[in-house]
Amino acid sequence: MSSDEYSVLETIAASEQGGYLATIIDVTGSAYRKEGTMMYFSENNQERGLLSGGCVEQDIVARMEIWETGISSATVHYDMRSEDDLSWGQGVGCDGSITVLMEELDDKAMNNIKIVKKWLDKGLAVEHIKVLDEDLSSQASLFKNETGERIGNWETVNLAAIPEKKLMQKHDGGYYFRQTFRAQPRLIIYGAGPDARPVADIAKKAGFHVIVADWRPALCIKEHFPDADMLVIGNPVELLEDIEAGCTDYIVIMTHHFQKDKELVNYLLKREYAFAGILGSKKRADRLLEHKTKPVWLHSPVGLPINAEGPEQIAISIAAQLITVKNSIVCTPGLEG
């Protein structure tokens, strides 16, 4: 799940108002965003997410302002291939078209999304099925997490037969649209020095659940890491044991303390993670490894090679590498049935 999708669900779950959820359910050709992209429009004119490069959002807002009473959903097709103003008034000149499903969020829908957010916060993946009429308006919304819990207007459906983020026609008319919501991946940054601050900030914006840890209480404080989800003081090995770090977690070691780094590396090499990175030169990393075999998930030095200079540029290189690894991992939870 992209960071945009998570932030949309997070915003809806925290809202006390209703509003509208817009979802791209079909793309033909090339478009700025893909199927499954969502955007939330609240009743007090707040927005979260982005459907395009700013091309269609104003049109959607205008449509909602004249939405007829009693209509709970509608579908809008945007053909952005024309470069003139004869299509729908924008003259974007893109290479594709998109179909956007607009759904009103009533109390029941808002409550369902609050439950979905709680599931995600527990680390559970959630399948979402939209059941659509022949005109692509919404008929039902179904959610199922990987433990089998279900909410929504459920009907008998074989989830495995429905392709991910593609419209699938039903045998009795209408369509299904399926997408999977996954919990934010955890990023554990060990080392709370000044150069860790931009890493935590950018990683949080990129969709990671950020945990910052250090053995020095004066450094690991909210004032230095205002957007971090958790701050932990303690020994590195005890920390990883306490939070049960495992194969889906991302770890960046940036303590600037050789013995602390060595303790962490020795511990990490006995297990497996989605990603672990060591700040510093290759020569220093080789000393830490002591001729041990380096697993494919261990990156040293951490960060993409972009000739970065200074804490901010180094943070960008680290975040870019984290995103590259995260987006290359394909994980399908056992939600079928």
Side-chain angles (χ1 to χ4, degrees):
M1 182 171 69
S2 74
S3 57
D4 276 359
E5 292 170 350
Y6 187 89
S7 68
V8 168
L9 294 175
E10 185 177 43
T11 301
I12 295 173
S15 176
E16 298 300 326
Q17 304 181 26
Y20 301 89
L21 178 65
T23 306
I24 297 177
I25 58 173
D26 189 53
V27 173
T28 301
S30 176
Y32 181 72
R33 304 303 300 272
K34 301 302 182 183
E35 294 94 334
T37 300
M38 303 186 302
M39 186 170 181
Y40 171 55
F41 300 85
S42 74
E43 291 179 347
N44 61 349
N45 300 318
Q46 292 184 339
E47 300 175 1
R48 176 67 69 177
L50 197 63
L51 297 174
S52 71
C55 308
V56 306
E57 287 78 3
Q58 289 183 347
D59 183 75
I60 289 178
V61 171
R63 290 175 185 273
M64 289 188 300
E65 290 175 350
I66 60 173
W67 200 316
E68 295 181 21
T69 303
I71 298 178
S72 59
S73 73
T75 302
V76 187
H77 183 73
Y78 295 100
D79 188 341
M80 298 178 287
R81 290 171 287 194
S82 176
E83 295 179 3
D84 56 31
D85 284 334
L86 300 179
S87 53
W88 52 280
Q90 295 296 325
V92 179
C94 295
D95 295 324
S97 61
I98 64 173
T99 300
V100 178
L101 173 66
M102 300 161 56
E103 300 171 280
E104 185 178 14
L105 296 174
D106 58 15
D107 291 343
K108 183 177 180 181
M110 295 287 287
N111 186 62
N112 285 346
I113 291 178
K114 291 178 191 295
I115 295 173
V116 169
K117 173 64 166 49
K118 290 179 180 178
W119 286 345
L120 293 172
D121 288 344
K122 292 179 180 178
L124 299 174
V126 181
E127 291 280 19
H128 181 206
I129 305 294
K130 295 181 185 291
V131 183
L132 309 174
D133 290 327
E134 292 187 2
D135 64 356
L136 296 180
S137 60
S138 180
Q139 181 182 13
S141 186
L142 327 171
F143 299 93
K144 179 183 179 183
N145 71 26
E146 59 186 287
T147 69
E149 291 181 274
R150 304 179 179 192
I151 54 174
N153 304 313
W154 197 266
E155 64 175 52
T156 301
V157 55
N158 180 10
L159 298 185
I162 304 174
E164 178 84 3
K165 295 184 178 181
K166 296 291 182 183
L167 283 173
M168 174 182 167
Q169 192 161 16
K170 299 169 61 179
H171 70 277
D172 57 349
Y175 296 85
Y176 289 124
F177 182 82
R178 168 193 178 193
Q179 63 189 120
T180 304
F181 301 138
R182 295 186 175 89
Q184 286 184 305
R186 293 196 304 183
L187 169 63
I188 303 159
I189 303 172
Y190 199 84
D195 54 349
R197 300 175 195 176
V199 177
D201 181 53
I202 297 173
K204 181 61 181 176
K205 289 182 172 63
F208 288 86
H209 180 93
V210 177
I211 300 172
V212 179
D214 201 290
W215 70 97
R216 299 162 292 188
L219 295 180
C220 197
I221 57 177
K222 196 67 176 176
E223 288 80 359
H224 293 168
F225 301 93
D227 295 324
D229 296 283
M230 183 185 300
L231 300 175
V232 183
I233 309 297
N235 174 278
V237 171
E238 292 176 356
L239 159 71
L240 295 179
E241 291 281 1
D242 289 343
I243 65 176
E244 299 180 340
C247 63
T248 61
D249 290 317
Y250 296 70
I251 300 169
V252 174
I253 303 171
M254 46 194 318
T255 71
H256 302 284
H257 189 289
F258 188 83
Q259 291 303 322
K260 293 288 184 183
D261 286 358
K262 187 174 182 180
E263 184 180 359
L264 262 175
V265 169
N266 288 337
Y267 177 87
L268 295 178
L269 290 175
K270 299 174 184 178
R271 292 156 179 80
E272 184 175 351
Y273 302 89
F275 176 100
I278 305 171
L279 184 70
S281 67
K282 184 179 183 303
K283 182 178 179 180
R284 183 177 185 273
D286 290 340
R287 288 172 57 209
L288 289 169
L289 287 168
E290 295 181 319
H291 306 293
K292 297 183 180 72
T293 301
K294 185 173 77 170
V296 294
W297 46 263
L298 182 62
H299 303 264
S300 60
V302 67
L304 295 184
I306 59 173
N307 297 321
E309 295 182 359
E312 288 75 18
Q313 291 186 14
I314 292 172
I316 291 171
S317 75
I318 293 173
Q321 190 175 39
L322 290 167
I323 293 168
T324 300
V325 174
K326 178 175 74 72
N327 291 349
S328 67
I329 295 176
V330 178
C331 176
T332 304
L335 299 170
E336 285 75 11

